[in-house]
Amino acid sequence: MVAKISALVGVLAVSIVAGVALGPVSVPFGVTADLLWAAITGGTVPADLAGQYRIVWDIRLPRVMLAAVVGAGLSAVGVAIQAVVRNALGDPYVLGISSGASVGATAVATFGALSGLGVYALSTGAFLTGLGATALVYVTARTSLGLTPLRLVLTGTALAYGFSAAAMLLVFQAPHGEAARSAMFWLLGSLGGANWQSLPVATVVTVAGIVYLMTRARQLNALAMGDETATTLGVPVNRFRTQLFVVTAGITSVLVAVSGAVGFVGLMLPHLTRMVVGADHRRVLPLAPLAGASFLVWVDVAARMLAAPEELPLGVITAAIGVPCFVFLMRRKSYVFGGR
């Protein structure tokens, strides 16, 4: 297990350096490593490399780091939600949070809502409506018996359609074509607005959430086996499911606010990780975030380079990779939800 974690950490480190070096204007790998080291250690940068330093440090590194954070967070949340709802199709957006966040982001992009917040208007609008969607799903799905997997999935799915319809209506009513295009681009996922200011909150929330989930790995194992089994093993099912709902919804809202709706990461990476290490959440949770972080870094590289100087939405690329991978998983007779 330690060897697998070490290998994935190494892959992530290489991916980050490569993600910073590659782009429409490429920076040699050696130069990229030297500039990153100089920035971290406070070293001097030669005058002839000042332009490349700005590209590396001010533009690409925060974007690549945010891609890693978003990929890690979505993968960890996907692992948890698949256990909470006991559904192989569970992902960070099955609870309707992403669709709810898209309403706020679309309102900002198309009609200038919250314009007084400047560059923070889009992320703030997405975050607020994401939290509103979370509250609505919780109130609607909760009964006197607590939160049940089936009610969570049905409520989240139904409300997600409603939120998506509201976002599409806003796009359709947009007064300017460019505003509508910007909103649609965000709805498919984008890290084009990444900067150092957007990184700390997303990082802190994601790391705290992953640590919490890792400390609850045994309870997640019990919950994945069914409510009766979990209760027999001493897990307070209703309270624990509510806690997981709040944690996963909070992480998802923050990540959607900074990256838009990036699909398939939280659905695909947990399954791929289980193929390697089995169903035990004590093994899955340390590895899935690392794999998700590396994966989304390379997805972002592809988004920047495949149609340069234009960018592709992240969701287009994750879907192009995710659909064949998921079909492959479903066709494998040896693979079942939760392991091999």
Side-chain angles (χ1 to χ4, degrees):
M1 186 64 184
V2 175
K4 290 184 176 67
I5 293 175
S6 300
L8 282 178
V9 169
V11 169
L12 178 57
V14 172
S15 299
I16 289 173
V17 176
V20 173
L22 296 173
V25 178
S26 296
V27 180
F29 280 74
V31 174
T32 299
D34 290 341
L35 292 176
L36 290 176
W37 181 253
I40 294 171
T41 60
T44 58
V45 176
D48 60 324
L49 296 179
Q52 291 179 322
Y53 176 80
R54 284 193 292 272
I55 293 174
V56 166
W57 184 257
D58 295 330
I59 298 175
R60 289 194 185 159
L61 184 59
R63 178 170 180 153
V64 170
M65 295 298 293
L66 189 61
V69 169
V70 171
L74 293 179
S75 299
V77 170
V79 171
I81 289 180
Q82 287 169 9
V84 169
V85 302
R86 297 204 306 275
N87 191 317
L89 294 178
D91 77 344
Y93 305 125
V94 74
L95 301 181
I97 302 163
S98 172
S99 300
S102 69
V103 175
T106 304
V108 172
T110 56
F111 291 96
L114 303 176
S115 57
L117 296 177
V119 295
Y120 299 103
L122 187 69
S123 58
T124 301
F127 180 70
L128 291 177
T129 53
L131 289 184
T134 299
L136 185 57
V137 170
Y138 179 82
V139 170
T140 306
R142 184 172 174 79
T143 67
S144 58
L145 300 177
L147 292 173
T148 62
L150 181 59
R151 287 184 67 89
L152 268 176
V153 172
L154 291 178
T155 302
T157 301
L159 291 179
Y161 280 113
F163 296 141
S164 296
M168 290 299 101
L169 179 62
L170 290 173
V171 172
F172 182 75
Q173 295 292 331
H176 306 291
E178 186 59 33
R181 183 179 183 277
S182 175
M184 288 300 298
F185 196 88
W186 186 90
L187 290 173
L188 290 173
S190 172
L191 294 170
N195 53 53
W196 286 114
Q197 287 72 36
S198 61
L199 191 59
V201 174
T203 302
V204 170
V205 171
T206 298
V207 171
I210 292 174
V211 170
Y212 170 82
L213 294 175
M214 290 177 65
T215 62
R216 300 295 188 272
R218 292 181 182 274
Q219 290 93 321
L220 283 169
N221 284 340
L223 194 64
M225 292 187 289
D227 289 6
E228 292 184 1
T229 302
T231 301
T232 302
L233 294 173
V235 178
V237 172
N238 288 332
R239 186 174 65 189
F240 183 49
R241 183 172 281 121
T242 300
Q243 292 173 352
L244 288 173
F245 176 78
V246 173
V247 170
T248 55
I251 298 173
T252 304
S253 296
V254 170
L255 296 182
V256 169
V258 296
S259 67
V262 184
F264 270 100
V265 178
L267 175 63
M268 180 175 59
L269 268 299
H271 288 297
L272 294 177
T273 305
R274 290 190 187 97
M275 287 183 63
V276 177
V277 298
D280 191 340
H281 287 86
R282 292 173 295 179
R283 292 176 172 269
V284 175
L285 279 169
L287 295 179
L290 292 171
S294 298
F295 172 73
L296 200 61
V297 167
W298 284 106
V299 167
D300 183 55
V301 171
R304 285 184 274 133
M305 296 189 67
L306 289 180
E310 298 292 328
E311 288 189 16
L312 293 176
L314 298 179
V316 171
I317 299 174
T318 56
I321 298 172
V323 170
C325 285
F326 206 75
V327 170
F328 170 74
L329 284 178
M330 295 299 99
R331 297 297 298 173
R332 278 176 60 96
K333 295 181 180 180
S334 61
Y335 182 80
V336 295
F337 171 64
R340 291 177 289 180

